[in-house]
Structures are given as structure tokens and as C-alpha cells.
Amino acid sequence: MPRAGLGPATVIAAGADLADEVGFDALTMGLLAERLGVRTPSLYRHVESLDALRRGIALQAKRELGDEAARAAVGRAGPDAVHAFADAYRRWARDHPGRYTASLRAPAAGDEEDRRVSDESVRALFAVVAGFGLHDDDAVDAARALRSAMHGFASLESAGAFGLPRDVDRSYHALIDTLVSGLRAGSPRSAGT
Amino acid sequence: MPRAGLGPATVIAAGADLADEVGFDALTMGLLAERLGVRTPSLYRHVESLDALRRGIALQAKRELGDEAARAAVGRAGPDAVHAFADAYRRWARDHPGRYTASLRAPAAGDEEDRRVSDESVRALFAVVAGFGLHDDDAVDAARALRSAMHGFASLESAGAFGLPRDVDRSYHALIDTLVSGLRAGSPRSAGT
DNA sequence: GCTTTTAGCTAATCACATTAGCTTCTGTCC
DNA sequence: GGACAGAAGCTAATGTGATTAGCTAAAAGC
């Protein structure tokens, strides 16, 4: 029997693809093995466990999502950059439902690599926010606000939570617009409230 | 052997409590049975399956969260009402991590009761938004924006995604403030963008 | 060609969900 | 007060999916 020529990277990549098809939670070692033309136990030569596989997919997804959104904002500034970033974020989430779910996994306590990758993916967002002249606490608030909004919207949308007929694209645009307007208002935030 | 006096409601309620302790995904029939002082198969007298149990917990959670947030906004109006609603939402999510995860389950296709409960929980939010004089598409956009923001923030927070030292309460307040300001601006949204 | 390494395999174990079928409370009807 | 129907619990058994043990043979280094 000729060998399949697998490796950790191949297995994780195939797992990510499969997760997009059947859902991150429905991903099973048996299913993935079948997809790769191999018997289930053989996968354990390349990944330590199902949990390790999930972690690998999560890391890959975080990197991909971060890169994709960051790339979209390159060469743009201000509101334009935010919209490009936000649109790319949502599109990626929609196009890769399994990976997106994976990307939401919080790093396990003590998992330095995962924490680093997760932080990394936020850096691009900070860069975009910095274009508004926000600093320190205001920049953190703004980045958190944008991240919450993008994640919340994408997550509700992928869960099918928006039942009403109103155009979802427009609602998203309106949300991002509102936040952008808030950013423009400058930093009257750090004082009061 | 004296009977335990269980019933669907008791079992689901205990399941919700247990989910808050061990995590919604780690909830297992065996664990719940042990908690109730009963052998695993006995639970099947009261709930059809693990999936039905999860659905029951989700329904209960959606009702509780909706009620809690709605109650907080009673007797208030405008920005005040939004903040009260949003604070109650986040507090509940933080105090009931297992239930909160459950509440995010999208209704299965064709599950009318679940859909109704889910819709119901959004109604209170619409009422709050209506206080700003928004109608139709603008009201939908506003409700979606608030929901996305609250959910996104609560979800990222509960996943431990906010690593920086900046006070998380303040960031949340800033986010809600920004959205409220956007609402106040009226409805210049439906036209452009 | 020979040895070492190691990918992939089969067989076996384990954890949990779930089903089948038996036993024993419990409330109700006489 | 006792007999009965129905339901609540139980034990035993099945099935699926993860994981481990140990064997075999393909690949790589010599």
C-alpha cells in the first residue's frame, strides 16, 4: 500500500476544509480519515488528539482571518479602512463557517502560542484604529468596540439569528458607520460615563 | 428505593445549573444524573435525548436572559434604558456562562417554539429602540447593532479575549455610548451608505 | 542490499449516549 | 384496605467515536 504522504499541516488543512463543510462541531476523526483515504487511527501519527486537531484548525483560522482582514485595509485609511476591514472580516466568516467557529476558541490557559496568534490578529485592528488619532485607552476601547461589533454580527448572522427581511448587508454597514462616526467624534469618552 | 420526584422541568433546570458550572459543552447525561442522585438511563424518562436537554436549557436561557434585560429597562427611556438593558444583558451572560452559551444556539430549522422564544427575546430590544423614534428599517438596523454589540462583547469577554489591562467595564460602556449617540443622530442612515 | 525509522493497519479498550426489558412505587378505583 | 394501571428507576446490552497497543511494510540513509 502506497503511503498517503500526510503530515500535520496536511491533516490540519484538510480538517479545516472539512469543518467548513460539516461544521466545526461535527468534525470527527473518522470523517477526516475517510476524506484523506486513510483509517482513523493513522491520523494519530500526525495529530495528538481530536482536541489538538481542533486547536490546529483554530490557529490556522485565526491567522487566515487576521491576514485577510488586514490585507483588505492595506492602502486605505480612516473610515474607508474600517469598512474594508469589517467587510473582509464578515465575508471571510461567511465563507468559512467551520473555520470561523474554530477561530472563536479562546486559547487554553497557558497556551502561549495560541495567545500570541490571537493577539497578533488584533494588531491589525489597532493599526486601523490608530488612523483616527486615538491613543491608549481610547484606542483600546475603539478596537474592542469594532471587534465586538464585527464578531457579534458575524456570529449572529452565521447562527441564522437575523430573521427579519431587512437587508443584512445594510444593517452591517449601518452598524460599522455608527461606530466610525463615534470614533470620529474624538475622545470625549475617556472623561465621563 | 424512594423516587427522586423528577420531571422535565426539574431536569432541565438542574442541567442549566450544571452547565454554568462545567460548561455547556461538557454537560453530560452521566454528570447530570449523578447530580440528581439517579442513574443515567433514568433521565430518559424526562428528556428525550441529550440534544433535547440542550434545547430545553437553551429555551430556558433565552427566556431568562430576555426577561432579565427587559426588566432592567422598565421605567427607563432613551439612553438610560439602553444602558440598563445592555448592562443587565452583560451581567447575566457573565453570571451564567453555561446558559449564555446555550442561549446562542440557533433554533433548528422548523422548530417553531424555539423560533418564537428567540423572537420574543428580541422584542424588548425593539421596544427600547422605539424610544428613539426609529421606525422600520432604521429600527431593525438599530436593534441588530445593539444585539451584535452586546453579544459580541459578552461573548469575547467570556472567552477571555480581552487581555489588555484597560478596564473592561469602561470599554463596554464606551461601546454602548457610541451606539446610543448614533441612534440619537436620527435616521440619516436609511438614505446613503 | 541492509538497517532504521515510521506511516498506516488491525484489534482492543474506553467513555458516553441510547435502548430493552424488569421491578417497584404511587395514585386511583372498587 | 386491596388490586391495578402507569410511571419512575434500575440493570444489562448495543453502538458510535476517541484513543492505545502492537504488527507490517514502505522509505530513507548507509
Side-chain angles (χ1 to χ4, degrees), chain A residues 7-8 11-12 29 32 42-50 52-53:
Chain A
V11 171
I12 288 173
M29 293 300 261
L32 179 54
S42 304
L43 293 183
Y44 288 83
R45 291 281 167 193
H46 309 292
V47 292
E48 216 172 63
S49 66
L50 175 61
L53 171 66

Side-chain angles (χ1 to χ4, degrees), chain B residues 13 16-17 20 57-71 92 96 99 117 121:
Chain B
D17 286 346
D20 282 337
I57 296 174
L59 285 185
Q60 182 188 316
K62 284 171 187 180
R63 289 200 191 91
E64 285 180 13
L65 174 53
D67 289 355
E68 188 81 6
R71 186 186 344 279
W92 191 90
H96 306 284
R99 287 163 151 93
V117 170
S121 71

Side-chain angles (χ1 to χ4, degrees), chain A residues 82 85-86 89 119 121-132 134-152 176 179-180 182-183 189, chain B residues 149 152-153 156 161-164 166 171-172 174-175 178:
Chain A
V82 173
F85 190 98
Y89 182 101
D119 288 351
S121 71
V122 181
R123 198 145 315 167
L125 189 49
F126 266 105
V128 169
V129 166
F132 282 84
L134 299 177
H135 304 292
D136 307 318
D137 285 352
D138 288 333
V140 174
D141 286 349
R144 285 178 176 168
L146 280 170
R147 194 143 84 104
S148 297
M150 293 188 301
H151 162 48
I176 302 300
L179 290 177
V180 167
L183 295 187
R189 244 181 288 108
Chain B
F153 199 98
L156 289 173
F162 297 141
L164 296 174
R166 166 66 170 164
S171 289
Y172 188 63
L175 167 58
T178 301

Side-chain angles (χ1 to χ4, degrees), chain B residues 70-161:
Chain B
R71 186 186 344 279
V74 164
R76 299 169 189 266
D80 200 25
V82 173
H83 276 291
F85 190 99
D87 286 346
Y89 182 101
R90 175 165 164 249
R91 183 176 6 264
W92 191 90
R94 213 172 12 180
D95 291 345
H96 306 284
R99 287 163 151 93
Y100 184 61
T101 301
S103 78
L104 302 179
R105 262 175 58 115
D111 186 337
E112 273 315 307
E113 187 186 8
D114 195 345
R115 177 158 300 284
R116 206 173 327 113
V117 170
S118 301
D119 288 352
E120 187 61 43
S121 71
V122 181
R123 198 147 314 167
L125 189 50
F126 266 104
V128 168
V129 167
F132 282 85
L134 299 177
H135 304 293
D136 308 319
D137 285 354
D138 288 333
V140 174
D141 287 349
R144 284 177 177 169
L146 280 170
R147 194 143 85 103
S148 297
M150 293 187 302
H151 161 47
F153 199 98
S155 150
L156 289 173
E157 182 181 17
S158 92

Side-chain angles (χ1 to χ4, degrees), chain A residues 70-95:
Chain A
R71 186 186 344 278
V74 164
R76 299 169 190 266
D80 200 25
V82 173
H83 276 291
F85 190 98
D87 285 345
Y89 182 101
R90 175 165 165 251
R91 180 172 14 261
W92 191 88
R94 210 170 16 180
D95 291 345

Side-chain angles (χ1 to χ4, degrees), chain A residues 96-109:
Chain A
H96 306 285
R99 288 163 150 91
Y100 184 62
T101 301
S103 78
L104 302 179
R105 262 174 60 114

